[in-house]
Amino acid sequence: QMLRRVYWLCLFACALVAACNFPSITAQNVAASKSDTVSDAAHEHKPAKKSFKIAIFTPYVGNSQILFNIRVAEELLAAGHRPTLYMLHMHDMNITELPVDPRITVTHVEGSMGLNGSQWLEDQAYFAFNNIPVWDSEFRKAMARWGEIHKTCERFVTNQTFLAEVESQGFDLATTYSINACPLGIIHKTKIPAWVFLNSGALMDSVAEVMGVPMPPSYCPPFLMDAGEKLCFVQRVKSLLGTIMYQRGWRSMVADVETRIFRKAFGPDF
Ligand SMILES: *[C@@H]1O[C@H](CO)[C@@H](O)[C@H](O)[C@H]1NC(C)=O
Ligand SMILES: *[C@@H]1O[C@H](CO)[C@@H](O)[C@H](O)[C@H]1NC(C)=O
Ligand SMILES: *[C@@H]1O[C@H](CO)[C@@H](O)[C@H](O)[C@H]1NC(C)=O
């Protein structure tokens, strides 16, 4: 009996030692590989801390969007980079100017084609806080108004001063937003070598599609669909139809229209 007790005690002790060592061994391995990666990275990029020039294309459509971009610019500034905020005006709107750190360059660019900014903000609030079906005439009118936003792209693209200024800055990186695809063309035209999407909200379907993020409609309901995490069969059918409609609509109403604007300005190969 004594022997048996010692045997179990040994087994228990061995198990305890193994259990305690396992995580520490894996943690050590991870720590070792992490520090290797860090030193490799530091070795490759000398000097380790580089200051980048960053263009932040900000949709001037409401202070929630503007504030988000200002905060990002301030963080980049604090990290030693040189951000420039390009405030892209898309509507006629008089909103309270938000304070920006004076070390951040702010350039306002007018792109409004006479769209009523107060109406835009009212639409946003009305459709966010009321349950309006997509076939409602008010909804269709609002969608038509939102569909006009691409017209602002023409004003940005034909502003030679703006394009020349962006190009002459020699930016290392640009950020853009998900409302339309206009800044992508501007980034390409002004030869900024790298860019990222900077979205203040959820991953937009259009962004997911162009970036290659899979959004299978049987699990991911499309933009504006009222559904939870689990979809029943009927919801999946609805989701599939909505996804097809959204993708087609976004391409034909936004991206393709803007591509035509760039081609009109810079030739058919753009
Ligand atoms: C904004 O303010 C200017 C000057 O006060 C005024 O002329 C303009 O009509 C205003 N625009 C809107 C959309 O309220
Ligand atoms: C813009 O829309 C607001 C809100 O709907 C309205 O009160 C205002 O008269 C409109 N302004 C113009 C210039 O149409
Ligand atoms: C063109 O862009 C510049 C900023 O680079 C801006 O100051 C100017 O107002 C814009 N011109 C027009 C006509 O919108």
Side-chain angles (χ1 to χ4, degrees):
Q1 243 185 2
M2 186 70 185
L3 217 64
R4 202 180 280 174
R5 267 193 205 149
V6 170
Y7 170 73
W8 280 115
L9 206 70
C10 278
L11 209 65
F12 180 66
C14 286
L16 207 69
V17 168
C20 293
N21 274 346
F22 249 117
S24 73
I25 288 166
T26 40
Q28 266 168 15
N29 286 347
V30 171
S33 61
K34 256 192 194 155
S35 65
D36 286 352
T37 325
V38 170
S39 61
D40 281 354
H43 186 71
E44 275 170 27
H45 306 283
K46 271 191 237 169
K49 203 169 166 68
K50 191 171 186 287
S51 172
F52 291 109
K53 275 196 95 163
I54 303 168
I56 301 178
F57 292 105
T58 305
Y60 203 84
V61 294
N63 271 345
S64 57
Q65 289 290 328
I66 298 162
L67 185 61
F68 170 72
N69 283 274
I70 291 175
R71 289 287 178 266
V72 171
E74 285 170 347
E75 285 301 317
L76 291 171
L77 181 75
H81 303 295
R82 289 161 294 157
T84 297
L85 285 160
Y86 284 102
M87 302 290 194
L88 303 183
H89 291 245
M90 300 179 189
H91 302 99
D92 287 344
M93 59 167 40
N94 292 329
I95 47 181
T96 317
E97 233 7 81
L98 295 170
V100 184
D101 189 308
R103 290 170 294 169
I104 298 171
T105 314
V106 180
T107 304
H108 287 266
V109 194
E110 194 48 68
S112 173
M113 301 287 278
L115 289 176
N116 184 340
S118 315
Q119 181 74 52
W120 159 274
L121 293 180
E122 273 185 19
D123 283 354
Q124 292 268 59
Y126 180 69
F127 293 107
F129 299 111
N130 291 283
N131 196 6
I132 313 293
V134 289
W135 52 83
D136 185 272
S137 70
E138 278 308 312
F139 182 83
R140 282 185 283 126
K141 271 189 228 157
M143 284 309 273
R145 281 195 291 272
W146 295 342
E148 302 269 281
I149 203 120
H150 64 76
K151 287 186 183 166
T152 63
C153 191
E154 188 140 21
R155 281 200 66 183
F156 297 133
V157 168
T158 51
N159 184 338
Q160 296 298 330
T161 324
F162 168 51
L163 293 184
E165 197 223 285
V166 175
E167 191 167 349
S168 70
Q169 292 291 323
F171 288 110
D172 301 299
L173 176 73
T175 72
T176 183
Y177 50 80
S178 62
I179 297 173
N180 61 10
C182 193
L184 297 182
I186 294 171
I187 289 164
H188 182 67
K189 178 67 190 162
T190 57
K191 305 186 185 71
I192 302 176
W195 61 273
V196 289
F197 267 120
L198 184 62
N199 295 344
S200 57
L203 178 66
M204 291 284 289
D205 305 36
S206 51
V207 174
E209 195 209 338
V210 295
M211 299 308 288
V213 181
M215 288 185 75
S218 47
Y219 299 96
C220 306
F223 181 64
L224 293 179
M225 183 172 158
D226 185 14
E229 278 185 40
K230 283 191 178 159
L231 307 181
C232 69
F233 180 75
V234 175
Q235 283 173 323
R236 287 179 183 203
V237 173
K238 208 172 146 185
S239 176
L240 177 68
L241 296 177
T243 301
I244 294 170
M245 271 166 58
Y246 183 84
Q247 284 178 1
R248 294 272 160 90
W250 187 79
R251 284 209 173 266
S252 65
M253 285 168 66
V254 182
D256 290 351
V257 181
E258 286 164 352
T259 301
R260 279 199 290 278
I261 291 169
F262 279 96
R263 287 187 178 156
K264 195 171 133 197
F266 309 116
D269 291 337
F270 193 89

